[in-house]
Amino acid sequence: RNFTVRGGTRQTDLDGQTQVGRFSGGEYMNAGPARIAQWMVTLDYCRELGIPIEVFTNTNASALIYHEGMGAPVRYRTAKADVYGYVSELLAKATDQGALDSSLTGDDKQRLLAFLEGWGDIGAQHRYTGSKRRGYSVDPGAFDQAGTPLPGPPSLSDVLASGVGRHFSFEFEYEQAMLMFQPVGGMDRIPAALVRAIGPGRVRTGCAVTGITNGDNGVSVTYTRGGREQRIDADYCIAAMPPHIAARIPHNLGADVRHALTTFDVHPVGKMGLEYRSRWWETDHRIYGGITETDLDLDHVWYPSHGYHGRRGTLIGYYNTDAHAVAYGQLTPAQREARAVAQGVRIHGDKYRTELASSFSVAWHRTPHIEGGWALPTTDNIPAYVLLNQPQGRVYFAGDWLTFLVTWQAGAFDSARRVVTELHSRVLKS
Amino acid sequence: RNFTVRGGTRQTDLDGQTQVGRFSGGEYMNAGPARIAQWMVTLDYCRELGIPIEVFTNTNASALIYHEGMGAPVRYRTAKADVYGYVSELLAKATDQGALDSSLTGDDKQRLLAFLEGWGDIGAQHRYTGSKRRGYSVDPGAFDQAGTPLPGPPSLSDVLASGVGRHFSFEFEYEQAMLMFQPVGGMDRIPAALVRAIGPGRVRTGCAVTGITNGDNGVSVTYTRGGREQRIDADYCIAAMPPHIAARIPHNLGADVRHALTTFDVHPVGKMGLEYRSRWWETDHRIYGGITETDLDLDHVWYPSHGYHGRRGTLIGYYNTDAHAVAYGQLTPAQREARAVAQGVRIHGDKYRTELASSFSVAWHRTPHIEGGWALPTTDNIPAYVLLNQPQGRVYFAGDWLTFLVTWQAGAFDSARRVVTELHSRVLKS
């Protein structure tokens, strides 16, 4: 669900806990979708609807990696220099020794070694002994300030044992590779613009569907709104709710549909916004956006991709899934904040606590009418996936869960486009 | 030189060629410094002076690599998947064969292989056979649209022979690693804000210095402005011009200074802005910013880091140095445009020509009062570097060429800060 939390946003979860956003003007968190890849159709809607976009900082060489047992976090740039340096040294050694002669021609070897020397910064000696790429405790500057390199590098064994390298492939993913984008002002600028384009009179929100009846000449949908039972009759219905929610709604689409809706793999997901009174991550840590990776159960910390150098700023204090999301989700909002801040202090120091202004958290699996972060097709439910991708009488289903882009807003768009295109053809033919 | 070219910008080069910028409103090119690393003091000035910043897109997985002999350019994401895939396969093979047992403990081996499996996407078989990371000709979407993978991967030998990997380490450099930033609206927002902060009445531009005379009680500087010879007398002088320009100006600072100023390694640099009537790189190629690397003598093509989805946009059509900059610089502006466009068409197709609105080019080595892109200290001129970093009587020199941040605006700031701090101490003590 595209959901941007601002000051005044009110939400009551399935446990009866109500939160009201206390974010300052201009501050927000995208609690649902937050990033858009360049190739996704979502950007076409931004262009067509005139929604300004800006870079979403999905990767940052200055962001941190923090694992239990580390004395201090390490920056991505440092971790990459060490891992790529040692990988280069090892592969150069094997190549030099002739261990790969059955796989490499003489030309291959020469080209591979030339690549490794530059890419791993191992020089003609084929030894990794550190690199300017690791960074400095005092930056290079004027006259005799050549820069004070960070201590290190650690040994090959220590670098491998640290496990930092496991975070490097995230940025290669087709969906996640930079450059990524976000709408200026919050992800909900997209539904707001869509509603404007469609005409606000044509959109009714706040309706909890209670029944779907498919007929020969139309569909009846009953729903409650403001406590009152209502009904709408239409030629067709596109049900864009999550499958596990749709599964509970009385309908006359048959047992196969009823069962199919229950076969998706629904994941708990949690996210917390932390508004700070200062942008200490910029001034003190020189981190302007990006994501810090951890093996704590907060999983990820996001630094904001907008409002650089502003007076305040809002981090994502945790963004986690499955067991980690359940662990956080079963706490009260105040307990979640305390836990996230205690973990963040270990990585960032005391300002993570002392500069905090307010927080807002969403446990998607404990949120009414959605009850999960996303619903994945599985290798076992292909028949269900196929069935629900076909019209059931005059009822269509749509959502990212019916695409190869599950978890992505673009999946919801692609599914909707497919359904309305099919419906359009059907109506033209009828 | 911090120089933003807009519509109306006029410049006459040393060959007597005058260009007038014809860029549309909002369009510009940063012909001099264009990118700022997170750690650089330049960002502190942006913060203090209230200059909004935005991400400079120094790296983009969707940008291209094009080498002579390639049938078509390859995207960074594809090139990286292939190189990292094969590197992983080779290193896993050597590790599995025991070729690295003298360098790796059993734990090391296990950890290294786990890393390579994920990082190179080679799976438990330790074979690279392509990856979703390479990208698609038809993107994943709704229902049965799993995505049509790009053809490939090429063989290990072909990937090594293509040389694409040589571009990967740029983004690891301490000065170049993303995230990078730029002022909103053009790099010249920085000098404009500095002038406002200092007071416009205190800054005199358009003055060509003709002589510097150091005395016991002050410094006299003569200069021409609007054709008239003028003189200014002051307690001290900070000469912030490039060394090879300062070397030609009559002064009484002695033969050592005169010689020292000639010992820096001055590099030709060229840059061209190409304004287009449409943002075809976004709509047709799904490239939103970033840099395409080539082995053509245009060197680099930059896509704009602002104005996404706008009506028009301005690429950097070439940004080259040394022999490549000389080759372009000796052409007329019209010839440069024709050459850059012909090269760009090979990479991007016909719109590179048909959508072009106008261009503006700078050959820094043919530009009055600077005559080069940057001036580097060398291993041979350390005494000169040290000498010019010390006050010569009441005359100080300042500039990026006197720092460990040559070519960077931040170097000029750092040098200036060092000099004014020293001068401040000296005056307080005197």
Side-chain angles (χ1 to χ4, degrees):
Chain A
R1 175 184 163 200
N2 184 321
F3 182 40
T4 300
V5 177
R6 295 191 173 76
T9 301
R10 172 183 294 267
Q11 198 185 46
T12 301
D13 66 20
L14 291 171
D15 301 309
Q17 302 175 121
T18 297
Q19 292 179 74
V20 181
R22 291 182 286 134
F23 295 145
S24 312
E27 295 300 320
Y28 66 84
M29 71 177 280
N30 287 325
R35 41 193 169 196
I36 310 172
Q38 288 161 91
W39 53 270
M40 289 179 174
V41 73
T42 314
L43 281 192
D44 296 275
Y45 284 101
C46 290
R47 189 179 62 244
E48 192 172 324
L49 296 167
I51 301 162
I53 59 169
E54 62 197 353
V55 171
F56 176 87
T57 58
N58 212 26
T59 310
N60 185 356
S62 292
L64 309 172
I65 299 172
Y66 182 79
H67 291 168
E68 293 277 6
M70 280 183 174
V74 60
R75 291 189 196 262
Y76 262 87
R77 66 170 85 239
T78 315
K80 274 191 186 172
D82 290 344
V83 172
Y84 292 177
Y86 284 125
V87 162
S88 293
E89 177 181 317
L90 289 169
L91 184 51
K93 180 177 294 183
T95 306
D96 287 332
Q97 289 170 350
L100 294 163
D101 282 359
S102 65
S103 306
L104 297 168
T105 68
D107 279 350
D108 290 345
K109 284 173 72 166
Q110 198 170 20
R111 288 165 177 155
L112 177 62
L113 291 170
F115 165 72
L116 295 172
E117 287 173 13
W119 178 74
D121 204 7
I122 56 172
Q125 300 305 310
H126 298 175
R127 292 278 297 169
Y128 179 67
T129 56
S131 167
K132 291 178 179 176
R133 299 169 186 169
R134 302 184 79 246
Y136 297 84
S137 55
V138 179
D139 285 324
F143 183 38
D144 58 353
Q145 184 49 269
T148 306
L150 293 177
S155 70
L156 167 61
S157 287
D158 286 349
V159 168
L160 290 172
S162 75
V164 292
R166 86 173 76 121
H167 301 294
F168 297 171
S169 54
F170 170 75
E171 70 188 66
F172 306 147
E173 290 177 23
Y174 190 59
E175 292 84 357
Q176 298 285 7
M178 284 282 274
L179 298 165
M180 303 283 287
F181 290 84
Q182 66 179 11
V184 173
M187 192 58 86
D188 65 353
R189 299 303 84 199
I190 295 178
L194 283 167
V195 168
R196 269 199 307 278
I198 293 165
R202 293 202 173 99
V203 179
R204 204 172 303 172
T205 58
C207 306
V209 174
T210 53
I212 301 172
T213 307
N214 177 60
D216 287 342
N217 300 307
V219 183
S220 282
V221 175
T222 54
Y223 60 94
T224 57
R225 193 184 195 204
R228 294 199 309 134
E229 186 80 14
Q230 304 195 44
R231 197 182 84 182
I232 189 168
D233 298 313
D235 293 336
Y236 299 93
C237 164
I238 302 172
M241 62 190 78
H244 51 290
I245 303 296
R248 283 191 229 135
I249 292 170
H251 61 72
N252 66 342
L253 302 173
D256 286 353
V257 169
R258 196 178 321 281
H259 173 70
L261 288 165
T262 67
T263 61
F264 288 73
D265 190 11
V266 182
H267 289 259
V269 174
K271 221 180 208 177
M272 169 171 275
L274 296 170
E275 182 185 339
Y276 284 94
R277 281 184 288 267
S278 67
R279 296 176 77 96
W280 48 263
W281 52 93
E282 294 174 357
T283 50
D284 298 5
H285 300 269
R286 307 300 290 203
I287 296 173
Y288 284 71
I291 298 178
T292 280
E293 295 292 342
T294 77
D295 64 359
L296 309 179
D297 64 8
L298 60 74
D299 286 10
H300 320 278
V301 173
W302 293 8
Y303 309 97
S305 296
H306 65 282
Y308 303 109
H309 287 162
R311 213 165 56 80
R312 293 176 164 239
T314 302
L315 303 189
I316 298 299
Y318 63 80
Y319 175 34
N320 50 21
T321 58
D322 303 324
H324 293 175
V326 170
Y328 263 98
Q330 65 198 11
L331 304 177
T332 66
Q335 289 170 330
R336 293 173 195 163
E337 177 188 295
R339 181 183 179 90
V341 167
Q343 292 182 330
V345 165
R346 292 171 59 189
I347 305 170
H348 299 90
D350 280 342
K351 285 192 181 174
Y352 209 90
R353 176 177 288 114
T354 57
E355 292 296 294
L356 184 65
S358 75
S359 72
F360 192 101
S361 58
V362 176
W364 283 110
H365 48 295
R366 302 302 299 154
T367 300
H369 311 301
I370 186 161
E371 300 186 24
W374 40 77
L376 272 78
T378 70
T379 46
D380 295 332
N381 87 334
I382 293 174
Y385 178 87
V386 171
L387 180 71
L388 298 174
N389 258 303
Q390 310 307 328
Q392 304 302 316
R394 291 172 167 266
V395 176
Y396 293 75
F397 293 96
D400 64 300
W401 51 283
L402 289 171
T403 75
F404 281 85
L405 292 174
V406 185
T407 78
W408 292 94
Q409 187 176 207
F413 275 124
D414 281 339
S415 177
R417 291 159 66 91
R418 175 172 175 272
V419 165
V420 296
T421 302
E422 287 204 0
L423 184 52
H424 184 71
S425 306
R426 174 173 171 176
V427 171
L428 284 185
K429 274 186 265 178
S430 70
Chain B
R1 175 183 162 200
N2 184 321
F3 181 40
T4 300
V5 177
R6 295 191 173 76
T9 300
R10 171 183 293 268
Q11 198 185 46
T12 301
D13 66 20
L14 291 171
D15 301 309
Q17 302 176 121
T18 297
Q19 292 178 74
V20 181
R22 290 182 287 134
F23 295 145
S24 311
E27 294 300 320
Y28 66 84
M29 71 177 281
N30 287 324
R35 41 193 169 196
I36 311 172
Q38 288 162 90
W39 53 270
M40 289 179 174
V41 73
T42 314
L43 281 191
D44 296 274
Y45 284 102
C46 290
R47 189 178 63 243
E48 193 171 324
L49 296 167
I51 302 162
I53 58 169
E54 62 197 352
V55 171
F56 176 88
T57 58
N58 212 26
T59 310
N60 185 356
S62 292
L64 309 172
I65 298 172
Y66 182 79
H67 291 169
E68 293 277 5
M70 280 184 175
V74 60
R75 290 190 197 262
Y76 262 87
R77 66 171 85 237
T78 315
K80 274 191 187 172
D82 290 344
V83 172
Y84 292 178
Y86 284 124
V87 162
S88 293
E89 177 181 317
L90 289 169
L91 184 51
K93 180 177 294 184
T95 306
D96 286 332
Q97 289 170 349
L100 294 163
D101 282 0
S102 64
S103 306
L104 297 168
T105 68
D107 279 350
D108 290 344
K109 283 173 72 165
Q110 198 170 21
R111 288 166 177 153
L112 177 62
L113 291 170
F115 165 73
L116 295 173
E117 287 172 13
W119 178 74
D121 204 7
I122 55 172
Q125 300 306 310
H126 298 175
R127 292 279 296 170
Y128 179 66
T129 56
S131 167
K132 292 179 179 175
R133 299 169 186 169
R134 302 184 79 247
Y136 297 84
S137 55
V138 179
D139 285 323
F143 183 38
D144 58 353
Q145 185 48 269
T148 306
L150 292 177
S155 70
L156 166 61
S157 286
D158 286 348
V159 168
L160 290 172
S162 75
V164 292
R166 87 174 74 123
H167 301 294
F168 297 171
S169 55
F170 171 75
E171 70 188 65
F172 306 147
E173 290 177 23
Y174 190 59
E175 292 84 356
Q176 299 284 8
M178 284 281 275
L179 298 165
M180 303 283 287
F181 290 83
Q182 66 180 11
V184 173
M187 192 58 86
D188 65 353
R189 299 303 83 199
I190 295 179
L194 283 168
V195 168
R196 269 198 307 279
I198 293 165
R202 293 203 173 97
V203 179
R204 205 172 303 173
T205 59
C207 306
V209 174
T210 54
I212 301 172
T213 307
N214 178 59
D216 287 343
N217 300 307
V219 183
S220 282
V221 175
T222 54
Y223 60 94
T224 57
R225 194 185 194 204
R228 294 199 309 134
E229 185 81 14
Q230 303 196 44
R231 196 181 85 183
I232 189 168
D233 298 313
D235 294 335
Y236 298 93
C237 164
I238 302 173
M241 62 191 77
H244 50 291
I245 303 296
R248 283 191 228 134
I249 292 170
H251 61 71
N252 66 342
L253 302 172
D256 286 353
V257 168
R258 196 177 322 279
H259 174 70
L261 288 165
T262 67
T263 60
F264 288 73
D265 190 10
V266 182
H267 288 260
V269 174
K271 222 180 208 177
M272 169 172 275
L274 296 170
E275 182 185 340
Y276 284 94
R277 281 184 287 268
S278 67
R279 296 176 77 96
W280 49 263
W281 52 92
E282 294 174 357
T283 50
D284 298 5
H285 300 269
R286 307 302 289 202
I287 296 173
Y288 285 71
I291 298 178
T292 279
E293 295 292 342
T294 76
D295 64 359
L296 309 179
D297 64 8
L298 60 74
D299 286 10
H300 320 278
V301 173
W302 292 9
Y303 309 97
S305 296
H306 65 281
Y308 303 109
H309 287 162
R311 213 166 55 80
R312 294 178 164 237
T314 301
L315 304 189
I316 298 299
Y318 63 80
Y319 175 34
N320 49 22
T321 58
D322 303 325
H324 293 175
V326 170
Y328 263 98
Q330 65 198 12
L331 304 177
T332 66
Q335 289 170 330
R336 293 173 195 163
E337 178 187 295
R339 182 183 179 90
V341 167
Q343 292 182 330
V345 165
R346 292 171 59 187
I347 305 170
H348 299 90
D350 280 342
K351 285 192 181 175
Y352 208 89
R353 176 177 288 115
T354 57
E355 292 296 294
L356 184 65
S358 75
S359 71
F360 192 101
S361 58
V362 176
W364 282 109
H365 48 295
R366 302 302 299 155
T367 300
H369 311 301
I370 187 161
E371 300 186 24
W374 40 76
L376 273 78
T378 69
T379 46
D380 295 331
N381 86 335
I382 294 173
Y385 178 87
V386 171
L387 179 71
L388 298 174
N389 257 302
Q390 310 307 327
Q392 304 301 317
R394 290 171 168 268
V395 176
Y396 293 76
F397 293 95
D400 64 299
W401 50 283
L402 289 171
T403 74
F404 281 85
L405 292 174
V406 185
T407 78
W408 292 93
Q409 187 175 207
F413 276 124
D414 281 340
S415 177
R417 291 159 67 91
R418 175 173 175 272
V419 164
V420 296
T421 303
E422 286 204 359
L423 184 52
H424 184 71
S425 306
R426 174 173 172 176
V427 171
L428 284 184
K429 274 187 264 176
S430 69

